[in-house]
């Protein structure tokens, strides 16, 4: 059996939250040895299903970090380790003797990745690192539509899952930099930075915006979730008007009736006959519609109950669902790896019993000693020198490549002379394109083949998210490109995975949220399903593809061999539902459901309207819940309604009950904030069209290694001449191609 990619890498995990624990899972399944350090009474074990998934394949040791002898044992473990993961605030880390400065002095080759609530340089760095509190303070609960007016509770812990991916990407970037420089260092991220990932689409501000940029994408646009004749809901992406059943029904209704039905709803940017589609879809059962749409290349999914995806053939055949015999739960179906590389991911055995590794690990810890570090070189971005060809469109592919640019890679974006399909949504497009050189070039034409071949030979990496039949038609599939560049790393993001009956089908974030049950959960009990507006599936898929790519790069550094790696929307979204597993009898473990009013999961984890605004309470510890109940009594809603928000927050603070104001309309406030700027959360550059462009900034802190956030998103064809002439394409040939409409200069 081939050596796993991260075999020989030891990870010490001091994580209690989803993000850090899930990061350890990803590293474990790539072959690393992950040692989880837990207290004797670990409350994370109370969530049996989630604990079983996040900690499978790991080893457990129990330590009391309040005890000097146990802290010394931790130091012995760290001396043997390559990576430390923790989710302490800076103040907590200092109490435990785990400050960055002390760790760097004691273990110069150690890579340290902390996942805090906020960046360590932020004024809120030591505040309670809970996702709901952070979403409230950032104003993101106001960005999510609800069935009612006002902000909405967000059921999916999306920031934790995004932080998981940011963490492992940071660790892999640091491991690659350590191969180059011989030194360890920090690779920190935070729940706040992760929560801001999807806001790259929306929170952009320009000095001279075009009307389309200024408009952005309103959160109240109608989402094509339609109720069918059997009561089930169907999410249809883009217009279904050309499918035979829909076309016939529209024709039968006639133009006047279609117009009347459409006028009942606000205009949709994806479906010109939104209202008529809704009325027609209500006439047949959901399964009939979805099968019809699939037969005619219309992207659609039924909004399924949470957990139903475990029994889906497409998920099973791609390994996105795996069988694990858990020591506590028995035989289970759990989410599998969301990414594919060679050597492949390995599914770990059962999550460990508490402390089962204590004796063996502490007896043998001296056998694994990390090599000593070299002298410090000049600081360079982690991926300095990596050359990336971005052939993607929409969100998942381009966002991944933008982060490669942030990490120091040289990225060339290739799009058609008419532009990426997302350019019409200018603010969203800009949010996934910074750091790139822009080339406008028609793929698949014989006359542009020399230019494409030159780009492929230049690249270390090709990344895209087009469907593979389209890639083959355009001659940019892996087999075609590796013939030009045998060491190429080729990274692909698909919708449903590389094999199975839906391998080549169209798919979008919304459809994966539907399939994995998140739309039903976000709707609230007894209510219509709702899409989580943050486009999380696209970002999960893009980030997981980036992790797969860096694993492939790490492997290529060892073997010298290129390969194709991949991720998918389905696999990455399915992983986010790790809080539920399927048991041997086919039943599902219990899961908390949001209330019908979309305010929360319980009285102690809920949004409350006060007399002048909303706040959120997150009193999850038993003592916090007791103090909350003593303060608010049996009618907490009435207690809050009778107070101003500030008065309620003051009373909660006095009783040490965690709470935050639910801020609203925060884009400008965020981009104006000196606190966010000081923490590196802003980026500024001069854009060719928009003038001064301000966007969300850094997603990591690498300490002594800089990020590269200086190049604005490219205008269409802005760098075509510069790039192609540098690769040997003559200026006269570019003029000829431009006159033929095959390039834009």
């Amino acid at each position: 059996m081939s050596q796993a990619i991260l075999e020989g890498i030891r990870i010490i995990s001091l994580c209690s939250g989803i993000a850090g624990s899930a990061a350890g899972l990803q590293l474990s399944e790539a072959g690393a040895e992950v040692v989880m350090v837990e207290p004797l009474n670990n409350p994370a074990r109370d969530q049996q299903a989630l604990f079983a998934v996040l900690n499978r394949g790991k080893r457990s040791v129990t330590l009391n970090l309040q005890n000097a002898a146990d802290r010394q044992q931790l130091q012995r473990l760290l001396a043997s380790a390559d990576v430390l993961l923790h989710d302490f605030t800076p103040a907590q880390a200092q109490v435990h003797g785990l400050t960055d400065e002390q760790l760097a002095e004691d273990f110069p080759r150690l890579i340290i990745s902390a996942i805090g609530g906020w960046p360590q340089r932020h004024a809120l760095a030591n505040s309670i690192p809970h996702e709901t509190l952070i979403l409230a303070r950032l104003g993101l609960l106001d960005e999510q539509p609800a069935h009612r007016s006002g902000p909405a509770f967000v059921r999916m812990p999306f920031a934790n899952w995004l932080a998981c991916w940011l963490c492992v990407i940071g660790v892999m970037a640091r491991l690659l930099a350590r191969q180059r420089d011989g030194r360890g260092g920090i690779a920190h991220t935070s729940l706040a930075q992760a929560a801001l990932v999807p806001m790259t689409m929306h929170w952009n501000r320009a000095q001279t915006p075009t009307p389309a940029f200024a408009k952005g994408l309103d959160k109240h646009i109608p989402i094509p979730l339609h109720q069918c004749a059997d009561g089930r809901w169907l999410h249809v992406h883009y217009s279904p008007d050309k499918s035979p059943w829909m076309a016939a029904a529209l024709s039968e209704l006639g133009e006047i009736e279609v117009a009347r039905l459409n006028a009942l709803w606000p205009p949709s940017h994806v479906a010109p006959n939104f209202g008529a589609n809704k009325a027609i879809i209500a006439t047949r059962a959901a399964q009939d519609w979805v099968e019809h749409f699939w037969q005619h290349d219309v992207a659609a999914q039924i909004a399924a109950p949470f957990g139903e995806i475990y029994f889906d053939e497409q998920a099973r055949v791609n390994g996105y669902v795996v069988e694990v015999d858990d020591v506590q739960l028995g035989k289970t179906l759990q989410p599998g790896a969301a990414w594919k590389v060679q050597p492949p991911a390995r599914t770990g055995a059962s999550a460990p019993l508490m402390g089962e590794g204590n004796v063996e690990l502490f007896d043998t810890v001296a056998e694994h000693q990390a090599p000593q570090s070299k002298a410090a070189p000049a600081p360079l971005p982690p991926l300095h020198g990596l050359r990336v060809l971005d052939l993607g469109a929409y969100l998942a592919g381009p966002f991944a490549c933008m982060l490669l640019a942030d990490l120091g890679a040289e990225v060339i974006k290739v799009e058609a002379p008419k532009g990426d399909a997302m350019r019409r949504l200018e603010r969203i497009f800009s949010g996934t394109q910074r750091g790139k050189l822009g080339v406008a070039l028609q793929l698949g034409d014989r006359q542009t083949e020399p230019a494409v071949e030159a780009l492929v030979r230049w690249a270390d990496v090709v990344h895209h998210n087009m469907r593979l039949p389209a890639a083959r038609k355009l001659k940019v599939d892996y087999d075609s490109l590796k013939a030009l560049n045998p060491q190429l790393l080729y990274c692909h993001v698909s919708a449903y995975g590389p094999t199975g009956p839906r391998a080549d089908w169209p798919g979008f974030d919304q459809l994966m949220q539907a399939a994995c049950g998140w739309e039903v959960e976000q709707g609230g009990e007894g209510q219509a399903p709702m899409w989580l507006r943050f486009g999380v599936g696209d970002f999960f898929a893009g980030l997981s593809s980036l992790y797969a790519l860096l694993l492939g790069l790490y492997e290529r550094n060892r073997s010298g061999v290129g390969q194709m790696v991949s991720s998918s929307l389905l696999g990455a979204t399915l992983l986010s539902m790790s809080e539920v597993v399927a048991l041997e009898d086919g039943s599902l473990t219990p899961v908390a459901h949001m209330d019908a009013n979309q305010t929360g999961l319980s009285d102690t984890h809920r949004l409350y309207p006060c007399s002048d605004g909303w706040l959120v309470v997150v009193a999850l510890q038993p003592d916090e819940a007791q103090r909350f109940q003593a303060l608010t009594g049996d009618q907490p809603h009435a207690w809050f309604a009778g107070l101003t928000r500030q008065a309620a927050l003051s009373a909660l603070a006095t009783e040490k009950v965690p709470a935050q104001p639910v801020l609203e309309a925060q884009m400008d406030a965020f981009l104006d904030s000196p606190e966010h700027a000081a923490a590196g959360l802003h980026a500024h550059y001069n854009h060719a069209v928009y003038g001064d462009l301000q966007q969300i900034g850094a997603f990591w802190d690498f300490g002594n290694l800089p990020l590269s956030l200086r190049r604005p998103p490219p205008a269409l064809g802005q760098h075509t001449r510069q790039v192609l002439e540098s690769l040997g394409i003559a200026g006269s040939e570019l003029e000829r191609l431009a006159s033929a409409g095959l390039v834009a200069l």
Side-chain angles (χ1 to χ4, degrees):
M1 186 174 178
S2 301
Q3 179 180 348
I5 292 175
L6 295 184
E7 190 167 327
I9 296 294
R10 174 173 280 177
I11 316 286
I12 306 301
S13 174
L14 289 161
C15 296
S16 58
I18 291 174
S21 301
L25 173 68
Q26 304 311 313
L27 295 163
S28 171
E29 300 206 326
E33 177 195 22
V34 179
V35 180
M36 54 179 289
V37 178
E38 55 180 327
L40 280 170
N41 297 306
N42 184 1
R45 287 183 175 268
D46 295 339
Q47 296 177 279
Q48 269 196 309
L50 184 63
F51 187 89
V53 176
L54 298 185
N55 296 295
R56 67 175 182 238
K58 300 179 184 177
R59 309 179 74 179
S60 165
V61 299
T62 53
L63 292 175
N64 177 5
L65 297 186
Q66 310 301 320
N67 180 288
D70 281 11
R71 288 199 300 273
Q72 188 59 38
Q73 292 283 53
L74 177 60
Q75 293 294 305
R76 292 181 63 209
L77 281 174
L78 292 175
S80 74
D82 298 280
V83 178
L84 168 65
L85 307 178
H86 73 77
D87 49 17
F88 298 134
T89 65
Q92 291 169 331
Q94 185 168 22
V95 168
H96 297 314
L98 298 173
T99 64
D100 294 339
E101 296 76 16
Q102 189 64 55
L103 290 168
E105 181 179 335
D106 294 343
F107 314 110
R109 281 181 58 86
L110 184 68
I111 293 164
I112 308 118
S113 183
I115 307 175
W118 296 83
Q120 296 206 354
R121 290 182 286 147
H122 200 283
L124 296 172
N126 287 311
S127 61
I128 296 171
H130 192 280
E131 176 164 339
T132 305
L133 297 173
I134 292 161
L135 297 183
R137 184 63 179 252
L138 281 171
L140 300 194
L141 298 180
D142 182 51
E143 292 284 341
Q144 172 60 26
H147 295 305
R148 50 166 175 77
S149 61
F153 188 89
V154 173
R155 175 59 185 84
M156 179 202 281
F158 75 91
N160 268 275
W161 284 103
L162 291 169
C164 152
W165 292 116
L166 290 175
C167 173
V168 293
I169 291 165
V171 167
M172 287 307 305
R174 261 293 181 182
L175 283 170
L176 289 162
R178 192 176 77 169
Q179 287 182 332
R180 177 190 71 197
D181 302 338
R183 295 185 67 85
I186 66 172
H188 297 335
T189 189
S190 68
L191 296 179
Q193 285 161 295
L196 289 167
V197 162
M199 300 316 295
T200 57
M201 297 188 293
H202 305 298
W203 284 5
N204 294 258
R205 193 163 63 184
Q207 179 184 15
T208 55
T210 63
F213 184 99
K215 181 180 180 183
L217 196 62
D218 189 280
K219 78 173 186 178
H220 296 296
I221 60 170
I223 299 300
L225 263 164
H226 306 294
Q227 192 168 26
C228 302
D230 57 355
R232 302 191 78 185
W233 292 78
L234 186 68
H235 200 136
V236 184
H237 196 84
Y238 290 137
S239 173
D241 291 357
K242 292 183 179 179
S243 63
W245 287 357
M246 184 61 68
L250 289 169
S251 177
E252 184 176 345
L253 286 173
E255 291 185 10
I256 294 175
E257 180 61 7
V258 166
R260 186 190 70 80
L261 291 168
N262 289 341
L264 300 176
W265 296 87
S268 165
H269 75 287
V270 296
N273 289 313
F274 182 90
N277 294 155
K278 185 172 284 290
I280 293 165
I281 288 172
T283 64
R284 296 177 187 260
Q287 192 63 35
D288 294 340
W289 272 119
V290 78
E291 290 179 5
H292 177 76
F293 285 149
W294 287 347
Q295 289 168 8
H296 296 93
D297 206 42
V298 175
Q301 279 288 158
I302 295 171
F306 205 59
E308 189 176 283
I309 192 69
Y310 279 129
F311 309 102
D312 181 87
E313 177 189 5
Q314 185 68 23
R316 297 288 294 272
V317 76
N318 280 285
Y320 303 145
V321 172
V322 293
E323 296 183 7
V324 178
D325 193 356
D326 183 76
V327 69
Q328 301 287 347
L329 295 171
K331 293 181 180 179
T332 61
L333 298 180
Q334 300 183 8
W339 40 270
K340 296 189 183 300
V341 297
Q342 292 295 329
R346 61 182 192 189
T347 300
S350 169
L353 293 171
M354 182 176 289
E356 67 178 26
N358 277 41
V359 174
E360 181 187 354
L361 271 168
F362 290 134
D363 283 351
T364 62
V365 73
E367 296 174 9
H368 181 113
Q369 290 291 329
Q372 294 302 304
S373 68
K374 303 175 185 177
L380 293 169
L383 299 185
H384 177 78
L386 186 70
R387 295 174 295 187
V388 178
L389 188 59
D390 173 12
L391 303 181
Y394 297 99
L395 287 177
F399 182 76
C401 291
M402 183 183 89
L403 294 193
L404 287 168
D406 284 1
L407 292 166
E410 185 75 356
V411 180
I412 295 175
K413 174 182 175 58
V414 175
E415 58 186 314
K418 293 182 179 179
D420 185 318
M422 287 296 283
R423 277 194 180 270
R424 66 186 179 84
L425 299 173
E426 294 185 26
R427 200 185 297 180
I428 294 178
F429 176 84
S430 296
T432 59
Q433 304 295 340
R434 72 165 171 233
K436 305 176 187 180
L437 296 171
V439 171
L441 168 72
Q442 186 63 53
L443 297 175
D445 190 283
R446 181 184 57 79
Q447 297 178 72
T448 60
E449 284 180 4
V452 174
E453 291 175 2
L455 287 164
V456 172
R457 290 191 176 98
W458 165 86
D460 298 298
V461 169
V462 168
H463 190 292
H464 74 83
N465 58 328
M466 69 182 84
R467 287 195 265 176
L468 288 179
R472 288 189 285 270
K473 182 178 179 181
L474 297 173
K475 299 181 181 178
V476 291
D477 56 294
Y478 178 53
D479 288 339
S480 297
L481 299 192
K482 75 175 180 180
L484 299 169
N485 185 346
Q487 287 190 304
L488 188 69
L489 276 169
Y490 184 98
C491 187
H492 180 244
V493 181
S494 65
Y496 288 95
T499 190
R502 280 171 267 168
D504 296 327
W505 286 9
F508 299 85
D509 155 69
Q510 295 93 324
L511 306 187
M512 304 310 151
Q513 288 192 38
C516 292
W518 284 118
E519 290 194 330
V520 169
E521 293 303 315
Q522 185 58 35
E525 286 197 284
Q527 295 273 41
M530 288 200 78
W531 174 52
L532 186 62
R533 179 177 179 251
F534 299 104
V536 289
D538 284 310
F539 294 105
F540 291 156
L543 288 167
S544 59
S545 80
L546 185 44
Y547 178 56
L549 175 59
L550 297 184
L551 288 172
L553 185 59
Y554 194 83
E555 174 66 14
R556 190 179 71 177
N557 287 352
R558 177 169 60 197
S559 68
V561 177
Q563 62 169 297
M564 179 175 175
V565 304
S566 65
S567 73
S568 74
L569 292 167
L570 176 60
T573 306
L574 198 155
L575 182 65
S576 71
M577 43 167 292
S578 294
E579 62 198 78
V580 65
V581 301
L583 302 176
E584 188 173 12
D585 63 2
S587 66
L588 298 168
T589 53
V591 63
H593 300 291
M594 184 160 61
D595 67 298
N597 208 32
Q598 296 175 296
T599 61
L601 301 178
S602 67
D603 283 349
T604 56
H605 191 189
R606 188 181 302 288
L607 280 69
Y608 288 99
C610 299
S611 62
D612 61 346
W614 292 76
L615 60 73
V616 66
V617 172
V618 183
L620 303 185
Q621 301 304 316
D623 59 326
E624 294 169 347
Q626 289 171 7
R627 292 194 298 271
F628 173 78
Q629 288 160 359
L631 177 65
T632 62
D634 295 334
Q635 300 293 327
H637 289 86
W639 187 86
F640 284 104
L643 295 172
T644 66
R645 180 164 66 185
Q646 188 53 54
L649 287 169
S650 297
L652 291 164
T654 298
E655 297 301 319
K656 297 182 180 179
V657 175
Q660 281 286 345
V662 178
L663 301 183
E664 301 180 45
Q666 285 295 292
M667 183 185 81
D668 287 328
F670 173 84
L671 294 173
D672 288 335
S673 165
E675 289 182 351
H676 296 328
L681 298 182
H682 294 171
H684 285 268
Y685 8 70
N686 190 56
H687 188 272
V689 175
Y690 306 133
D692 180 61
L693 178 63
Q694 187 179 9
Q695 298 186 301
I696 290 166
F699 296 111
W700 297 276
D701 178 0
F702 287 97
N704 63 315
L705 301 186
L707 290 167
S708 181
L709 304 177
R710 298 182 298 275
R711 182 179 285 157
L716 180 62
Q718 183 176 353
H719 306 104
T720 303
R721 185 182 297 277
Q722 169 191 333
V723 168
L724 295 183
E725 285 186 348
S726 74
L727 295 176
I729 309 298
S732 58
E733 174 63 5
L734 292 176
E735 297 292 347
R736 187 186 69 77
L737 292 172
S739 65
L742 297 174
V743 300
L745 300 176

